[in-house]
Amino acid sequence: MYSVALFGQRVTQRLSYFSTFSRFLCNQQSDTDGTGNGFGRIEDYLNESWKSMKSDNNMKDNSDMQESVDFTGMNGCYEGHFRQKFSTRHDFIEKVRNEASMILEILQQEGPGFDAKAALDNSHITVSSLLVREVLLGILKTINYANKNRCAKLGYKFFVWSGQKENYRHTANSYHLIMKIFAESEEFKAMWRLVDEMTEKGYPTTGRTFNLLICTCGEAGLAKKVVERFIKSKTFNYRPFRHSFNAILHSLLGVNHYRLIEWVYQQMLVEGHLPDMLTYNILLWSKYRLGKLDQFHRLLDEMGRNGFSPDFHTFNILLHVLGKGDKPLAAVNLLNHMKEVGYEPSVLHFTTLIDGLSRAGNLDACKYFFEEMIRQGCMPDVVCYTVMITGYVVAGELDRAQELFTDMSANGQLPNVFTYNSMIRGLCMAEKFEEACMMVKEMESRGCNPNFMVYSTLVSYLKNAGKLSKAHEVIRHMVDKGQYIHLVPNFKRYRRC
């Protein structure tokens, strides 16, 4: 049996085994499903842009870069054509947006004595994929607890109407948008009907389709049913993943269905599919989150035996485990090993490690790695600052938290809602309630809208301090802004006037 206490030593031994594989081989293995590590790669887009630039440069080279009248004239002609093309495209997009606004106004008038469908027909607007997208996104942005049922009805009314127009056929993206509207409106059965309709009409169900269902129906206790359906589906377009199981595992990871991940993996093996780097990373994280450290260790061994060496995300998982286990020395060794095998630790790696150490209560180690990260030329982002600030707040060291809060703004990192929530919590713990309330106003003035967690934190501490009138004032402020009205009952002993 392996213990957590031995983990630092064990992971170093494993990594010495993995280091015999080159980074090139690791990249080749992880690219086999076309997605690199499966978490999305901006490099693909940048590479395409680079190829385009290179092509343009070759054209310039072939023309011998002569600064002649002919070249200047040809270049000017090209620029004129480009401007004309750009202007035409811009005008078209503006036209579609204006038409989408007109349609949204018509839909808002739907009710007794007004037939929105007839008004849409009389508008003589040409339906396109871009128009449908703009309208559905417009509806999606306006959904709240009070109007969710109406938004679902209006969205579906437009979806049906537009789908009946000549020379237009809905895309899979259109179905996903109306499904998103149903998801936000908690119309789960309607989402299932849309999936059935997609299948009947020959649309491929994709990873996006699955993700929408698992994020909503999963919460309603239907997660396994969703998984079974997509495993058996013959129309599931799982690209860019290697196979449907990887697509499903990736989505399940996003909603923390760790036990279901284990079940899907077993089904995957039964079907004869072998794990790749993405599969191993998902399984490693799931085993750790479930507290199955013995299986975590065995999986790491198996990964090495099957010829896979740790990638960017594997190292991130290992750093988190070492951080949570309060093993800063082992973390130093691992960071050094990363450099040896060609992986330069990023802000994500340092933030993950600092977060783990912070949860373990080792703030001295957090401070060391925070400063070491900067020494190595890796500048902390808003997430890293927030993790450090939260650690100090939890430890009751408000002065250090405030110092970092000031530093991050000076260094060009604007605090987000989670940063503010940590600071507000720290101020409340120190019974500096006026400053906490002022910070809520400050974040609003900076365009950072408080979420329910911010209001809940402030109200909870105010009530515990016996400042009921001030707590009710905060709640009224939240209600007056039209935010989280449906969550007001969560505040005990509060009644709306």
Side-chain angles (χ1 to χ4, degrees):
M1 296 290 288
Y2 301 115
S3 66
V4 180
L6 295 174
F7 180 76
Q9 179 182 356
R10 293 178 53 78
V11 75
T12 305
Q13 291 170 348
R14 284 195 181 82
L15 291 174
S16 65
Y17 171 77
F18 287 136
S19 64
T20 57
F21 295 90
S22 67
R23 186 181 180 188
F24 173 78
L25 180 58
C26 178
N27 287 340
Q28 289 295 103
Q29 290 164 337
S30 60
D31 284 346
T32 50
D33 60 2
T35 62
N37 46 45
F39 290 80
R41 292 178 57 194
I42 193 65
E43 292 95 328
D44 293 337
Y45 172 75
L46 294 175
N47 286 340
E48 288 302 316
S49 300
W50 178 80
K51 287 177 186 176
S52 176
M53 290 174 60
K54 186 175 180 181
S55 175
D56 291 342
N57 288 335
N58 285 341
M59 289 176 64
K60 291 180 182 179
D61 292 339
N62 291 338
S63 66
D64 204 25
M65 296 295 291
Q66 294 178 354
E67 296 181 1
S68 64
V69 176
D70 291 340
F71 178 80
T72 305
M74 184 174 68
N75 195 41
C77 180
Y78 172 77
E79 288 181 359
H81 174 71
F82 177 78
R83 288 197 196 98
Q84 182 180 4
K85 188 174 181 180
F86 178 80
S87 176
T88 302
R89 178 176 173 78
H90 180 267
D91 292 344
F92 171 73
I93 292 174
E94 283 301 307
K95 176 175 177 291
V96 169
R97 285 176 176 167
N98 291 334
E99 290 174 341
S101 297
M102 188 188 307
I103 289 174
L104 288 169
E105 289 178 8
I106 292 173
L107 291 172
Q108 288 300 326
Q109 300 175 57
E110 171 71 7
F114 184 84
D115 186 353
K117 184 176 181 300
L120 289 172
D121 287 333
N122 293 331
S123 68
H124 302 296
I125 292 175
T126 302
V127 176
S128 65
S129 296
L130 181 59
L131 178 73
V132 172
R133 178 181 179 274
E134 288 294 316
V135 172
L136 293 180
L137 280 175
I139 294 173
L140 189 59
K141 291 175 183 176
T142 62
I143 294 179
N144 56 45
Y145 182 78
N147 69 6
K148 61 180 182 179
N149 291 334
R150 177 173 171 79
C151 283
K153 291 177 182 177
L154 293 179
Y156 190 63
K157 181 181 284 288
F158 170 74
F159 185 79
V160 172
W161 173 81
S162 57
Q164 294 172 343
K165 298 290 109 179
E166 293 184 8
N167 301 320
Y168 172 75
R169 186 172 184 264
H170 280 309
T171 62
N173 186 53
S174 302
Y175 273 95
H176 292 154
L177 281 172
I178 188 64
M179 283 176 68
K180 182 65 175 172
I181 290 173
F182 282 151
E184 293 294 323
S185 306
E186 298 180 350
E187 297 285 349
F188 303 129
K189 291 183 179 178
M191 291 181 69
W192 278 104
R193 286 197 295 271
L194 278 175
V195 176
D196 291 335
E197 183 180 314
M198 286 180 71
T199 304
E200 290 170 4
K201 293 187 175 181
Y203 291 93
T205 50
T206 65
R208 174 65 175 157
T209 320
F210 176 81
N211 206 49
L212 282 167
L213 286 170
I214 204 69
C215 288
T216 50
C217 297
E219 294 173 5
L222 299 173
K224 195 169 184 179
K225 180 181 176 183
V226 174
V227 171
E228 288 175 336
R229 171 166 180 160
F230 275 76
I231 286 177
K232 297 174 183 177
S233 174
K234 294 182 179 179
T235 61
F236 182 27
N237 182 4
Y238 48 80
R239 299 297 180 189
F241 298 94
R242 176 183 287 181
H243 46 64
S244 61
F245 289 98
N246 266 3
I248 291 170
L249 288 170
H250 187 262
S251 291
L252 290 175
L253 182 70
V255 290
N256 304 329
H257 277 298
Y258 302 121
R259 295 193 185 282
L260 199 49
I261 284 173
E262 291 185 309
W263 180 82
V264 172
Y265 178 61
Q266 292 304 318
Q267 301 302 309
M268 170 181 150
L269 296 179
V270 169
E271 293 288 330
H273 294 286
L274 296 176
D276 58 11
M277 200 65 240
L278 171 63
T279 318
Y280 277 120
N281 281 334
I282 293 173
L283 285 172
L284 282 169
W285 182 246
S286 300
K287 297 297 184 185
Y288 172 71
R289 294 295 293 174
L290 291 171
K292 299 180 178 181
L293 292 178
D294 285 353
Q295 294 183 28
F296 180 94
H297 299 323
R298 288 199 293 270
L299 199 60
L300 208 53
D301 284 331
E302 177 191 316
M303 194 173 91
R305 288 196 305 271
N306 290 339
F308 291 95
S309 53
D311 67 359
F312 182 94
H313 299 283
T314 319
F315 283 122
N316 204 43
I317 294 169
L318 296 174
L319 285 168
H320 178 82
V321 175
L322 292 175
K324 282 288 290 288
D326 195 12
K327 301 185 182 301
L329 182 58
V332 169
N333 293 334
L334 180 56
L335 290 169
N336 290 333
H337 175 78
M338 286 178 64
K339 294 179 182 179
E340 290 171 3
V341 297
Y343 282 93
E344 195 67 30
S346 68
V347 64
L348 175 62
H349 291 111
F350 280 107
T351 303
T352 298
L353 175 58
I354 293 169
D355 180 55
L357 290 165
S358 172
R359 293 172 188 273
N362 193 342
L363 293 182
D364 289 337
C366 290
K367 184 173 183 293
Y368 168 80
F369 284 109
F370 185 79
E371 293 173 349
E372 180 64 23
M373 174 176 65
I374 297 173
R375 278 196 295 270
Q376 294 187 18
C378 186
M379 301 310 295
D381 60 10
V382 61
V383 179
C384 190
Y385 273 110
T386 302
V387 167
M388 286 291 294
I389 288 169
T390 303
Y392 283 130
V393 165
V394 171
E397 298 186 30
L398 180 60
D399 290 342
R400 288 193 175 187
Q402 287 180 312
E403 184 181 330
L404 274 176
F405 186 77
T406 302
D407 287 347
M408 70 180 294
S409 297
N411 291 328
Q413 295 295 331
L414 295 178
N416 61 23
V417 67
F418 301 103
T419 322
Y420 277 112
N421 186 60
S422 290
M423 285 301 303
I424 290 167
R425 181 183 176 187
L427 291 168
C428 288
M429 288 170 64
E431 298 187 349
K432 297 183 178 183
F433 297 111
E434 289 300 323
E435 291 183 41
C437 292
M438 286 296 295
M439 186 158 280
V440 173
K441 293 179 181 179
E442 176 192 319
M443 66 185 295
E444 289 177 334
S445 68
R446 290 189 174 186
C448 182
N449 291 321
N451 59 14
F452 184 72
M453 186 183 298
V454 171
Y455 290 117
S456 180
T457 297
L458 186 54
V459 168
S460 176
Y461 276 100
L462 286 169
K463 283 187 173 183
N464 290 339
K467 300 180 180 294
L468 297 181
S469 60
K470 191 66 177 177
H472 288 179
E473 185 181 322
V474 172
I475 298 172
R476 280 195 298 273
H477 175 71
M478 181 187 80
V479 172
D480 290 343
K481 290 187 67 178
Q483 295 180 326
Y484 310 110
I485 298 174
H486 61 296
L487 295 176
V488 169
N490 290 2
F491 297 119
K492 295 179 180 179
R493 293 188 295 177
Y494 175 79
R495 292 184 180 179
R496 291 185 63 186
C497 298

